[in-house]
Amino acid sequence: MRKEQIFQKLREKGCRITKQRQRLLDVILREECASCKEIYYKAREEHIKIGMATVYRMVNLLEEIGAISRKNMYRLSFYMDGNRDIVCVVELDDHTVCRLSAGNWNRVMREGMKVCGYIDGQQIVGIVMEAPLTVDGAY
């Protein structure tokens, strides 16, 4: 859904389009956030004075109008296993956990990028994760 379509649907629900809602929607559309907490912190990084309750209300509204679905949220974390191989753990919203070795992660990335049209015969030579990692590896 485009930004203007979302605002139109919110207006149809009787919602005012405040500056906070506009800025929150900008953060949500620009970033890939897996939780309201992440949206809140990203909004705060942009010096948006906003409360956590406002973020939750906005996400609920967006879900009600069909602009987003929290069922598709996921979380990624990286850690070192006993073999010193980097492993990616993907946790889905239904608590299913998939563990990928570095080789499997590379294959998933390559196939996903092919399907999405990002690569056509090229090889991936490096991947940089831009989300900061905490001590336990989760972000």
Side-chain angles (χ1 to χ4, degrees):
M1 227 183 257
R2 288 188 353 251
K3 187 175 176 178
E4 286 308 314
Q5 289 174 313
I6 292 170
F7 286 144
Q8 183 59 36
K9 285 193 176 230
L10 289 173
R11 283 185 197 101
E12 289 169 6
K13 281 190 67 71
C15 297
R16 291 182 305 126
I17 307 304
T18 63
K19 286 186 180 185
Q20 284 185 333
R21 285 185 176 150
Q22 290 174 1
R23 290 183 176 161
L24 271 177
L25 185 59
D26 288 339
V27 169
I28 292 166
L29 291 174
R30 184 178 56 248
E31 306 284 343
E32 288 189 27
C33 299
S35 68
C36 291
K37 193 174 186 178
E38 283 184 58
I39 295 167
Y40 171 76
Y41 286 121
K42 293 203 186 274
R44 297 290 298 215
E45 285 174 7
E46 296 182 15
H47 306 291
I48 299 171
K49 292 192 177 200
I50 198 159
M52 184 65 100
T54 302
V55 174
Y56 277 101
R57 284 191 297 267
M58 180 65 168
V59 168
N60 285 335
L61 281 171
L62 293 174
E63 192 170 35
E64 285 176 27
I65 65 169
I68 64 171
S69 171
R70 283 191 263 190
K71 293 180 189 225
N72 293 329
M73 290 184 172
Y74 57 88
R75 185 178 70 131
L76 296 175
S77 61
F78 291 86
Y79 62 93
M80 301 295 281
D81 72 5
N83 297 327
R84 298 285 188 216
D85 189 20
I86 295 176
V87 176
C88 172
V89 178
V90 180
E91 181 182 352
L92 305 175
D93 66 335
D94 67 354
H95 304 293
T96 302
V97 175
C98 304
R99 289 179 170 76
L100 303 172
S101 67
N104 285 340
W105 172 251
N106 194 14
R107 275 192 292 285
V108 167
M109 288 296 297
R110 187 176 53 247
E111 292 303 313
M113 291 183 78
K114 279 183 193 176
V115 168
C116 292
Y118 290 110
I119 60 176
D120 183 28
Q122 303 98 322
Q123 294 297 314
I124 297 172
V125 295
I127 297 173
V128 176
M129 300 298 291
E130 293 183 357
L133 299 177
T134 61
V135 174
D136 69 354
Y139 68 88

